[in-house]
Amino acid sequence: MITSLRKFLRELGTIKFCFHPPPQSDIVVFDESHIKMISNYILAGHSYFIYNMRPEKIYISLSVIYCFLKSLLISDWNAVRVSKKRLQTVLQQLIYSYRMGCFIVIKPRVVVTAVDNSGCFHWLSQNYKDAAFFAIQNGHRTNIQLTEGRTKQYLTNFFCFGDYERDRYLRFGHVIEKSYPMGSLKLGVYNDFYRDGKSDMEEKYDLSIVSQYRRQIHQVSYAPLLVKALTSMHELLSRFIKENCLKVALIMCSNGDADEIELHRNIYNDNIDYISNDKTAFTSYRIINKSGIVVGFNSTLILEAFGIGRKVLLIDSSGTDDFTDYDPIILLKNPSYSELENRLNGLLVEPYEDYRRRTKEYASYVMNYNPDCPPHEYIRKKIAGYL
């Protein structure tokens, strides 16, 4: 109980108070994360209201207070009775009800977010019935993320990478009313607005490795297993690169973080190029287009590469099904060095047309990218139908 109270007080210190009601708006963007992507390519020409969450703005007015009290009536107080963390659950129900009160005041017709795993967004999707809620998938969720101590997700309109994601969510007991397999929003924006024609398609690297370095990696419960799997993968790849004299790039998570470079340099030395990830320049997408094969553990970027026809390989040495459950057509689990060597050598020499022929159907299932109808245009048309 004390821990929950302390957490609440810490979060309270970042909140901004506004002594007026939020404005009415037909469109609400829930959470400002990825706001430039949403505003520039999906909502251009539309007026909208951003419901800020980083930090959250608290609106205080008679109308909000009245609607907050009304929304308390639909809160699930049974969850409090059965919860082992009652104070935390009470606080969560109160803040969810407050946000519901704000939405009653705002009166949106469409609510859109790129934070598709937001618990509050799911709660609002289920309980606020006067708007269409659009969740845009921004990353692959592992099996452990879909099961570990989480409440069930409730998605009324889920713009997901492919039918693979829908099938997994349903298998783990989450609720999806409508799913739209449309690929990756970021990938679509890159291809439509930032790709440099033929120059971005000229192969420069035999192999690109996707880093999954995170400074906060040790904060997750499964960190030891994840670190072990990543280390094993990098050590196997380092040996393969040395023995085959390949031209290789490491696509970094950060934009030149010295710790990330040092971590991988201890394994690869200077046998590879370290590519800083400038998200504004879409660096990672430029590199996968210049790579013969894109490899890594379970990064979304590898799935995006697969969706546009690149040769890919996921390498999972965790010894569990917690992270990846893809078809062996793109997944190698717990490999020995000889197994990894055979698989990569096979991909290197396989004619591209043969590779596409045997993987195209599965690629569409995992990452259903259609360049003739990019995700930003697809979502924009769906939103227009509700206005």
Side-chain angles (χ1 to χ4, degrees), residues 12-46:
L12 192 64
T14 66
I15 290 173
K16 295 183 178 181
F17 291 90
C18 303
F19 294 93
H20 57 78
Q24 291 188 358
S25 178
D26 284 344
I27 303 174
V28 170
V29 179
F30 183 85
D31 197 314
E32 62 271 35
S33 179
H34 306 287
I35 186 59
K36 289 185 178 179
M37 192 76 63
I38 293 173
S39 62
N40 291 345
Y41 304 104
I42 296 175
L43 299 181
H46 290 288

Side-chain angles (χ1 to χ4, degrees), residues 94-114:
L94 288 174
I95 194 65
Y96 280 10
S97 295
Y98 156 76
R99 291 167 182 158
M100 169 74 84
C102 287
F103 273 70
I104 294 172
V105 172
I106 298 168
K107 297 181 179 178
R109 299 172 71 179
V110 172
V111 183
V112 59
T113 190

Side-chain angles (χ1 to χ4, degrees), residues 143 232 236 297 313-336 339-340 343:
N143 291 347
S232 174
L236 289 171
F297 178 47
L313 183 63
L314 296 162
I315 304 165
D316 183 353
S317 299
S318 68
T320 73
D321 293 322
D322 289 344
F323 301 101
T324 55
D325 60 2
Y326 295 100
D327 190 278
I329 200 169
I330 59 169
L331 174 63
L332 189 58
K333 299 202 71 168
N334 309 309
S336 63
E339 289 171 329
L340 177 71
R343 187 68 173 272

Side-chain angles (χ1 to χ4, degrees), residues 217 223-238 263-264 267-268 297 315 317:
I217 193 170
L225 187 61
L226 178 58
V227 171
K228 180 181 178 182
L230 288 169
T231 302
S232 174
M233 178 193 75
H234 287 304
E235 289 175 347
L236 289 171
L237 288 171
S238 177
L263 174 70
H264 291 100
I267 299 175
Y268 293 103
F297 178 47
I315 304 165
S317 299

Side-chain angles (χ1 to χ4, degrees), residues 137 140 146 158-171 176 178-184 303 325-326 361-369 378:
Q137 186 173 9
H140 169 69
L146 291 177
F158 187 30
F159 295 87
C160 55
F161 295 153
D163 285 334
Y164 164 83
E165 299 292 348
R166 177 206 60 198
D167 293 346
R168 288 177 63 247
Y169 276 62
L170 295 176
R171 189 170 76 244
I176 300 174
K178 296 178 183 178
S179 64
Y180 305 96
M182 49 109 206
S184 161
L303 306 179
D325 60 2
Y326 295 100
E361 182 177 353
Y362 190 64
S364 296
Y365 179 60
V366 171
M367 184 67 66
N368 188 35
Y369 178 68
Y378 186 85

Side-chain angles (χ1 to χ4, degrees), residues 89-288:
T89 306
V90 168
L91 292 175
Q92 182 184 70
Q93 289 296 328
L94 288 174
I95 194 65
Y96 280 10
S97 295
Y98 156 76
R99 291 167 182 158
M100 169 74 84
C102 287
F103 273 70
I104 294 172
V105 172
I106 298 168
K107 297 181 179 178
R109 299 172 71 179
V110 172
V111 183
V112 59
T113 190
V115 187
D116 58 287
N117 58 341
S118 165
C120 181
F121 184 85
H122 300 151
W123 188 88
L124 288 167
S125 298
Q126 186 172 12
N127 292 286
Y128 186 81
K129 301 301 184 182
D130 294 327
F133 283 78
F134 289 3
I136 305 168
Q137 186 173 9
N138 67 49
H140 169 69
R141 313 298 171 197
T142 64
N143 291 347
I144 199 169
Q145 287 175 311
L146 291 177
T147 57
E148 186 189 49
R150 292 175 178 264
T151 56
K152 296 304 181 184
Q153 299 186 25
Y154 190 97
L155 297 158
T156 53
N157 293 279
F158 187 30
F159 295 87
C160 55
F161 295 153
D163 285 334
Y164 164 83
E165 299 292 348
R166 177 206 60 198
D167 293 346
R168 288 177 63 247
Y169 276 62
L170 295 176
R171 189 170 76 244
F172 285 113
H174 303 285
V175 177
I176 300 174
E177 291 187 3
K178 296 178 183 178
S179 64
Y180 305 96
M182 49 109 206
S184 161
L185 173 61
K186 289 182 285 187
L187 177 62
V189 168
Y190 160 72
N191 274 334
D192 255 23
F193 298 97
Y194 293 91
R195 186 163 61 89
D196 293 334
K198 292 183 178 180
S199 65
D200 266 10
M201 304 301 291
E202 295 173 356
E203 191 169 306
K204 182 177 180 180
Y205 295 102
D206 301 304
L207 194 71
S208 282
I209 305 164
V210 180
S211 167
Q212 290 186 240
Y213 168 86
R214 295 288 188 277
R215 282 186 174 272
Q216 301 84 7
I217 193 170
H218 294 286
Q219 295 178 10
V220 297
S221 61
Y222 48 86
L225 187 61
L226 178 58
V227 171
K228 180 181 178 182
L230 288 169
T231 302
S232 174
M233 178 193 75
H234 287 304
E235 289 175 347
L236 289 171
L237 288 171
S238 177
R239 179 180 171 185
F240 181 78
I241 292 164
K242 290 176 184 177
E243 292 185 1
N244 291 275
C245 300
L246 300 177
K247 180 68 172 175
V248 177
L250 179 84
I251 304 174
M252 296 169 58
C253 285
S254 68
N255 194 0
D257 187 302
D259 289 342
E260 182 177 10
I261 295 173
E262 183 64 22
L263 174 70
H264 291 100
R265 186 164 277 149
N266 287 335
I267 299 175
Y268 293 103
N269 299 313
D270 290 319
N271 297 321
I272 62 176
D273 291 345
Y274 296 89
I275 310 296
S276 295
N277 188 1
D278 182 350
K279 290 181 171 57
T280 61
F282 292 83
T283 304
S284 58
Y285 295 111
R286 297 188 192 283
I287 297 301
I288 63 173

Side-chain angles (χ1 to χ4, degrees), residues 302-317:
I302 301 172
L303 306 179
E304 291 171 313
F306 189 44
I308 58 173
R310 310 309 298 178
K311 295 180 180 180
V312 303
L313 183 63
L314 296 162
I315 304 165
D316 183 353
S317 299

